[in-house]
Structure formats: C-alpha cells, structure tokens
Amino acid sequence: MRPFVRSVSCAVLVLVLVLSARGSRATEADPPEAVLAVTPVAQAPESPKEGWCGEAAIQEGLLALGAYVSQARVNRAGKPSHPDLYASELPAALLALGVEGAWMKARGFDAVRTFTAEAVSRGRPVVAGVKLLPTAHPSWGLDHFVVLVGVRGPDVLVDTTWGTRVSVTSAPPRGISLAGAFFAVRLERVSGLPEGEGAVLSVVSDAAAGVVVRAVCPRSAGRVRVDDVAPPRDVPLVSGEARVTVKRDAFVRFRCMP
C-alpha cells in the first residue's frame, strides 16, 4: 500500500465550502440509481478542532454493516499521537476494531465510481479520502475523509461526515473532488457478525445517558440480537425494526435473527 500523507481538513467550517460547491450537488431530487440505506453521520460534538472526519467515516461505515461504535473509540483504536486519525492510521483502526476490508487498487474518479457501484450492489460502504477544492494544501494527497454510499448516473453519492450528502461530478470546480482519488476501502464485515446478518443502523439520539440506535433488518427477521451484555439480549422487531439504547462509548453488534 502506498504511503499516505496527512488528512486533517475535517473542521465544520469547511462545510460552507462543500455546500456552496458547484461540483457537489444536493440529492433531494431524482432518486439515486443505487444507494445504501444509511443516514449521513456528523462528527461528534467532542471532536477536536482538527475534526474527526476519519472517525465519523468509520462509524458510519460500521453502522451500515450492523455495528455501533463511538467516534472516540474509533480514534483510540487507531492510537494516534495527535488529536485525529491520519490516513496512515485508519487501516490500524479498522484492524483493531475487527473490520475486514478490500482496498481499491486503481486511481481516479472512474475507478472510484466503479468501486463504489460494485460495493453498494453488495450492501457495502466505502470509506475514501478526497480533496477539497480549492485546496489549502496542494502537496497533500487528500484533505478529508468521507463515505461513498451510492451512484447517480455518472456521479458518486458522498456522505460528507458533516451530516450531509452530496452528489459529486467527475471534475468539480469546487468542493469535494474524487478526480485523483487513491484512498478507498470497501468495508466487508465486522468480526462477530456473519456476512449478511448485520442490521442496518442509524443513531436516533446521542446523550450522555446513552445512545438510541435504530436497527432495521432488510431481510425477513423476527428479532435483533444485541451483544452489549453477556449473554447477548434479543430485542423483538416491530415492522422490521427496533430501537435499542446502548452505552455511548460502546462497541455493539446488531445481528438479525429469524
């Protein structure tokens, strides 16, 4: 794997740049051709001024696979010597969390779009590094981390890790750019969750007392098994979903059961 340069442009102030970018279009109109059933995640309120874009991207990716983990716990898993995870530390964080993944071997927008389309067709999210145009750091290989969640025609649907989703073109003049992208990993599965049995998760509320997680089972299932206690507890599904409260700094898997 090629060496990676630092990526730290995760602070919320960059959101203004992204939302105003002509090359990143909002996606309310026209349903996408293929998109994961996940909710965009924002960086945690306790994140440092550098931001936790890598941490937020991994958190959202694991929600798509059936696991809840706090961004603080993702950060600790990567063991950074600085406040936020760098590109060279994301693989270590994934390994420590028991996440299996496959790295993109090509480079550029077309490669990313093909990689994303294939991943999404299998229900897999992609964590990727992007540039933010105009970039304040031309020498950096990437500026920011995002989650690639689908395709719309020739474009790629991107969850920004600022709680929003945009549609990115092949050559945007401003905003998020995948034109020279080389850092992209398809998250395959989480240790302890058999393939295809993880619920699709979203965070309903996040408070010190606990996090309320909504779990949806795409396939026929009667309950969801939650492994935050020993032995794991089973929560019945109502109309295919359940709401479960877990500890804020937990690492919890949600398994769809018959």
Side-chain angles (χ1 to χ4, degrees):
M1 186 159 42
R2 61 170 291 170
F4 302 121
V5 297
R6 148 170 214 190
S7 171
V8 293
S9 298
C10 302
V12 175
L13 61 89
V14 186
L15 179 58
V16 176
L17 167 64
V18 175
L19 292 182
S20 64
R22 289 174 291 169
S24 300
R25 299 192 293 270
T27 62
E28 284 74 10
D30 302 330
E33 293 179 1
V35 60
L36 290 178
V38 293
T39 302
V41 165
Q43 294 166 49
E46 68 270 23
S47 62
K49 62 182 179 62
E50 292 85 355
W52 272 354
C53 54
E55 290 83 344
I58 289 176
Q59 181 188 56
E60 181 176 327
L62 296 195
L63 289 172
L65 296 180
Y68 166 81
V69 59
S70 70
Q71 293 177 34
R73 192 155 180 163
V74 174
N75 179 269
R76 295 197 302 272
K79 297 181 178 179
S81 57
H82 27 74
D84 57 326
L85 292 176
Y86 289 9
S88 57
E89 294 157 343
L90 259 71
L94 292 172
L95 181 64
L97 293 169
V99 182
E100 296 178 9
W103 290 90
M104 184 177 71
K105 301 184 184 302
R107 184 184 185 115
F109 182 88
D110 290 342
V112 170
R113 189 191 178 284
T114 298
F115 191 70
T116 301
E118 193 275 335
V120 169
S121 72
R122 297 170 50 203
R124 305 294 193 271
V126 174
V127 172
V130 300
K131 293 294 289 181
L132 297 174
L133 304 179
T135 180
H137 305 283
S139 64
W140 291 5
L142 52 93
D143 297 325
H144 182 62
F145 293 113
V146 299
V147 186
L148 310 182
V149 296
V151 296
R152 178 203 299 284
D155 299 350
V156 177
L157 298 178
V158 177
D159 283 1
T160 64
T161 65
W162 292 305
T164 58
R165 179 171 296 169
V166 294
S167 184
V168 177
T169 66
S170 60
R174 297 180 63 85
I176 289 176
S177 173
L178 292 161
F182 61 90
F183 184 105
V185 56
R186 181 180 68 239
L187 305 187
E188 295 285 358
R189 62 180 296 270
V190 182
S191 177
L193 274 176
E195 185 171 350
E197 294 186 9
V200 177
L201 310 178
S202 59
V203 174
V204 177
S205 64
D206 184 347
V211 175
V212 178
V213 177
R214 176 176 178 259
V216 175
C217 288
R219 299 182 181 87
S220 177
R223 57 202 165 104
V224 63
R225 179 159 293 171
V226 187
D227 72 356
D228 59 336
V229 295
R233 53 178 169 146
D234 284 356
V235 178
L237 296 168
V238 179
S239 299
E241 68 174 71
R243 296 197 177 195
V244 182
T245 301
V246 299
K247 292 181 179 179
R248 193 168 190 272
D249 199 36
F251 185 9
V252 187
R253 299 162 186 81
F254 292 72
R255 182 179 176 184
C256 295
M257 305 292 291

